[in-house]
Amino acid sequence: MIINARFITSLAKFDINFASNFSEVAFLGRSNVGKSSLINSLCKQKNLAKSSSTPGKTQLINFFEVLCQKDEDKFNIHFVDLPGFGYAKVSKNLKEEWNVYLDEFLKLRTSIKLFIHLIDSRHIGLEIDKELDGYLKGFLKPDQKVLKVFTKCDKLNQSEKAKLKNNFKDAILISNLNKFGLDKLENEIINQVLGL
């Protein structure tokens, strides 16, 4: 389980001098899919990751040191909150720069063990999510995994949830609002970084 967390630093791009001795979990998804809210919910802190009503507000790569416990063992991991894609109102040049920097970061940051691809459960099958899925699988290393997490599931009825589970067997459905699915996700994160 997650015991505690603190913000460490923000990076604009991959930095070879900022090495990590910890396994890392990267959160990716469209702007406004609920990345920051999910990090706050998992870490049981309200304002750890800054969420904004303005989509595309996270423009830097934000690192959080997270203290976890499995049985009697305590260990640290990093949560990495990445800029959302798809919405951000930034200049074309800055967007292209971001994409180059993010691409470099994701491919060179070998300490990332788990990519959490967040998808709004009300908007599945978007081209942008299909592209991200293919992109991640294109460079995934043997010790890395992609986990699909469907957010805002409180907005779905039972049959819609059942259909989602049926179509995406390994995915996890969550809701920050009523804390649905958070324990399952927490366990999955810890098992993955421990290689279980």
Side-chain angles (χ1 to χ4, degrees):
M1 66 172 191
I2 291 169
I3 300 170
N4 209 336
R6 67 185 181 95
F7 171 77
I8 314 174
T9 190
S10 296
L11 297 180
K13 56 181 174 177
F14 178 73
D15 182 352
I16 200 148
N17 298 314
F18 182 63
S20 175
N21 306 319
F22 306 138
S23 293
E24 297 185 326
V25 179
F27 292 78
L28 307 93
R30 276 192 321 132
S31 297
N32 216 19
V33 75
K35 284 190 304 300
S36 302
S37 304
L38 175 58
I39 290 172
N40 289 338
S41 293
L42 285 169
C43 297
K44 302 158 189 82
Q45 293 186 38
K46 274 208 173 90
N47 301 309
L48 180 68
K50 301 285 183 282
S51 56
S52 165
S53 54
T54 312
K57 195 79 172 120
T58 306
Q59 296 183 11
L60 295 168
I61 302 164
N62 295 316
F63 286 81
F64 303 91
E65 189 177 300
V66 181
L67 176 63
C68 303
Q69 183 168 351
K70 174 89 174 173
D71 302 323
E72 298 304 308
D73 295 329
K74 287 185 180 172
F75 55 94
N76 284 311
I77 61 174
H78 279 161
F79 277 180
V80 186
D81 187 10
L82 291 148
F85 52 83
Y87 267 163
K89 290 189 171 100
V90 291
S91 74
K92 195 164 187 293
N93 283 354
L94 181 56
K95 231 174 192 174
E96 282 164 7
E97 210 171 79
W98 270 2
N99 290 341
V100 171
Y101 287 156
L102 279 178
D103 179 59
E104 189 181 50
F105 177 83
L106 292 169
K107 288 176 178 171
L108 296 179
R109 192 85 183 163
T110 52
S111 39
I112 297 174
K113 300 302 172 208
L114 181 62
F115 296 95
I116 294 184
H117 178 187
L118 298 176
I119 302 166
D120 188 322
S121 60
R122 300 163 301 172
H123 307 293
I124 58 169
L126 293 178
E127 200 54 44
I128 203 161
D129 282 315
K130 288 179 189 166
E131 281 174 17
L132 178 63
D133 192 53
Y135 164 74
L136 289 173
K137 285 173 178 164
F139 65 82
L140 211 60
K141 296 173 183 66
D143 66 340
Q144 293 178 320
K145 182 182 172 185
V146 178
L147 177 65
K148 280 192 172 73
V149 172
F150 290 95
T151 63
K152 307 182 184 183
C153 286
D154 50 282
K155 307 273 197 294
L156 303 183
N157 61 36
Q158 284 311 111
S159 68
E160 288 168 329
K161 280 184 196 167
K163 192 177 171 188
L164 249 187
K165 282 180 185 161
N166 206 27
N167 290 340
F168 301 94
K169 297 272 189 283
D170 296 329
I172 294 178
L173 278 58
I174 60 151
S175 163
N176 287 318
L177 198 66
N178 57 24
K179 307 291 179 252
F180 175 80
L182 291 177
D183 288 350
K184 187 177 179 185
L185 178 56
E186 202 173 320
N187 285 334
E188 187 64 35
I189 288 170
I190 288 170
N191 288 342
Q192 180 62 24
V193 296
L194 290 176
L196 299 174

